Amino acid sequence: MSEEGVISNLQSELESLRERVKELEAENAKLSSTISRCHCSKREEKKLMVDESRKMISKVNRKSTERLPGSTDHYFRRFIALKVMYFGKGFYGFASEAQMDPTVESEIFKALEKTRLLVGDKKESQYSRCGRTDKGVSSVGQVISLFVRSRIKEIREEEEHNDGEFDYVRVLNRVLPEDIRIVGWCPVPVGFSARFSCLSRKYKYLFWSKDMNLLAVEDAGKRLVGEHDFRNFCKMDAVNVHNYRRRITSFQISSCDMKFLGNELSAIEINGSAFLWHQVRCIVAVLFMIGQGLESPDIIDTLLDIDGTARKPQYAMAPEIPLILLSCEFEGLNFICSSNARQALCEHLQNECRTYQLQAAIFHEALLGCLPSENNQSSLCNGVAKKASHVPLMSRPTEPSYEERRIKINSKT
């Protein structure tokens, strides 16, 4: 039977059910009138008949609701966490609250709606996210949590009953954009929050390390470990944030085993319980000044000394594209990915890697075309670029302090 025929039959059956409801309601009203006039000895018997009539009406109404095309009210649901990876260059950040489109979050909700996994709206789903990365920033371990549609009728909180459940990873990845992928899902208790239940977050920043003093960078980075006031290493939001103390638990520099024209790709990894707005990019910007010999590692201690340095010196953040939200750690979460979903995911990521390597090869060919001879190639690649003049951080203009910002905010209220 065609889809139009099915819909026509459903509509006809629905109309019949509605007529039956009207008949039952009329019968119920008649019985109620009879009960009011009968003797007490018969009242209970008639009341049972009314109750049965009401049950029939309820059953018919419920049956008619379940048959409504496109309705999701009768679906079972469960609370889960999703692990998400995305290449951030093509998105206006992760969160969709800035009225800019596309964002990673908006694309995920489009996929949830398209696959009919979303039950109710965003607020009703009790949605939360672990972090809100900026425009251009990528992630391989972002975590979100929300209620989604389920195939399982009843799930006890202490059980992880997943047999016969939707393959959430595969279903969503079929409709998500190429630069976004779900890499796993996990049942979580209703009180779970992707933001507040997170124990730690790890960021990685990629950079080309030629002419960079990595020992000085490492010395400076180790000084960041521990609990400090990082107001001089972030974009201050004095309206909403009043505590700028954060704990960094580890800092390390590693090689990525990749070279280009004698330049090696390296990475800075920073692990902490939570981070301020633009904190990692501000930290990396100062570390690069140290690695280039423009600042001493002691500048870290100076900027962490809030009593001595109440105002942040003005400096540009490190670029956003090389920054990756590497992982978000939670207690007891074991993300699930079926073998079929994992195979499809691996094939997709391999294809993406090949595509970007082909693009890199094309740019490399263009670069070779700009080098007419070996001598010119050698002189271009090994030439020393003219360095821009550097103004020491402590000699630069400063931003208003937190206290000065609060005074200005309070004067407007």
Side-chain angles (χ1 to χ4, degrees):
M1 184 180 294
S2 67
E3 184 176 353
E4 292 182 357
V6 171
I7 294 174
S8 177
N9 288 340
L10 287 173
Q11 291 175 339
S12 176
E13 186 175 355
L14 178 61
E15 189 62 32
S16 299
L17 289 170
R18 285 174 174 165
E19 292 296 324
R20 179 57 178 155
V21 168
K22 291 179 181 179
E23 294 173 3
L24 290 170
E25 288 176 339
E27 182 180 352
N28 186 31
K30 184 178 179 180
L31 289 171
S32 298
S33 177
T34 303
I35 288 173
S36 65
R37 296 192 300 269
C38 72
H39 298 290
C40 293
S41 59
K42 296 183 180 180
R43 191 179 300 273
E44 289 301 321
E45 181 181 351
K46 296 294 185 180
K47 185 176 184 299
L48 289 174
M49 294 177 63
V50 172
D51 290 340
E52 287 296 318
S53 177
R54 286 174 176 168
K55 288 179 182 179
M56 291 178 66
I57 292 172
S58 176
K59 185 176 180 180
V60 171
N61 278 327
R62 185 165 59 250
K63 186 176 180 182
S64 64
T65 301
E66 290 177 357
R67 290 181 179 272
L68 284 173
S71 172
T72 59
D73 293 340
H74 63 285
Y75 292 143
F76 308 119
R77 67 177 192 166
R78 74 187 307 180
F79 201 49
I80 69 168
L82 294 172
K83 182 182 284 190
V84 188
M85 71 80 55
Y86 49 90
F87 182 49
K89 186 177 180 180
F91 301 100
Y92 289 94
F94 184 84
S96 56
E97 297 170 357
Q99 307 301 321
M100 300 292 286
D101 209 43
T103 65
V104 178
E105 196 172 79
S106 66
E107 294 298 325
I108 290 174
F109 271 89
K110 286 178 186 177
L112 287 166
E113 292 171 355
K114 189 171 184 179
T115 56
R116 293 191 178 182
L117 289 177
L118 186 64
V119 180
D121 58 21
K122 187 175 180 180
K123 185 177 181 180
E124 291 171 336
S125 70
Q126 296 184 30
Y127 170 78
S128 66
R129 54 178 173 262
C130 185
R132 44 182 306 158
T133 53
D134 301 318
K135 176 184 177 181
V137 177
S138 301
S139 174
V140 296
Q142 173 73 279
V143 174
I144 63 174
S145 60
L146 75 168
F147 272 106
V148 292
R149 178 182 163 194
S150 173
R151 281 178 171 161
I152 302 173
K153 181 176 181 180
E154 184 177 357
I155 304 168
R156 295 180 180 177
E157 192 168 299
E158 65 272 13
E159 295 180 353
E160 289 190 4
H161 184 59
N162 303 318
D163 294 338
E165 186 56 280
F166 288 111
D167 190 343
Y168 294 111
V169 176
R170 195 173 186 187
V171 169
L172 288 169
N173 284 345
R174 284 174 174 170
V175 297
L176 281 167
E178 298 295 312
D179 288 344
I180 305 175
R181 281 297 178 269
I182 307 298
V183 298
W185 74 278
C186 179
V188 291
V190 174
F192 176 88
S193 167
R195 179 183 177 188
F196 297 111
S197 300
C198 182
L199 302 177
S200 66
R201 299 159 174 87
K202 182 182 288 187
Y203 283 90
K204 175 180 278 193
Y205 195 95
L206 305 174
F207 66 101
W208 297 103
S209 56
K210 186 179 179 180
D211 300 326
M212 189 81 71
N213 185 344
L214 296 184
L215 290 177
V217 174
E218 188 169 22
D219 176 19
K222 296 295 184 183
R223 304 183 190 208
L224 297 165
V225 176
E227 185 174 327
H228 304 283
D229 191 313
F230 286 96
R231 66 183 65 192
N232 289 327
F233 291 94
C234 71
K235 185 173 181 179
M236 191 177 291
D237 179 10
V239 175
N240 300 305
V241 181
H242 310 296
N243 179 14
Y244 291 86
R245 295 191 69 83
R246 297 293 186 272
R247 177 178 292 277
I248 290 182
T249 55
S250 67
F251 174 93
Q252 67 176 19
I253 301 174
S254 59
S255 172
C256 297
D257 295 325
M258 186 180 298
K259 292 184 178 181
F260 181 72
L261 296 178
N263 204 344
E264 185 174 8
L265 188 65
S266 298
I268 292 172
E269 288 187 15
I270 303 177
N271 197 351
S273 55
F275 290 86
L276 297 162
W277 191 12
H278 294 325
Q279 182 180 343
V280 176
R281 291 171 61 191
C282 287
I283 286 174
V284 170
V286 176
L287 291 176
F288 282 176
M289 295 180 203
I290 295 168
Q292 294 163 6
L294 304 175
E295 296 285 347
S296 165
D298 293 336
I299 193 64
I300 297 294
D301 301 317
T302 302
L303 292 175
L304 290 176
D305 179 12
I306 304 306
D307 293 332
T309 312
R311 296 187 183 92
K312 174 189 173 185
Q314 294 179 1
Y315 60 89
M317 296 184 295
E320 69 277 8
I321 297 299
L323 181 58
I324 308 165
L325 174 57
L326 197 62
S327 64
C328 304
E329 298 301 324
F330 298 85
E331 183 178 1
L333 257 62
N334 298 307
F335 287 93
I336 304 165
C337 185
S338 69
S339 57
N340 289 336
R342 181 175 286 105
Q343 181 180 351
L345 178 62
C346 289
E347 289 176 357
H348 170 76
L349 295 177
Q350 288 169 359
N351 287 334
E352 290 296 293
C353 286
R354 282 191 286 265
T355 298
Y356 281 101
Q357 286 175 347
L358 285 172
Q359 292 179 11
I362 293 170
F363 282 110
H364 190 233
E365 288 296 323
L367 176 61
L368 294 176
C370 295
L371 308 174
S373 68
E374 279 191 24
N375 291 334
N376 286 340
Q377 178 177 353
S378 176
S379 63
L380 179 62
C381 295
N382 297 324
V384 178
K386 185 178 179 180
K387 291 185 178 180
S389 59
H390 176 74
V391 178
L393 281 176
M394 299 311 296
S395 300
R396 298 186 182 190
T398 58
E399 299 178 2
S401 67
Y402 169 76
E403 291 75 18
E404 291 168 340
R405 292 173 190 264
R406 288 303 307 173
I407 292 172
K408 185 175 180 180
I409 292 169
N410 292 333
S411 67
K412 294 180 180 180
T413 58

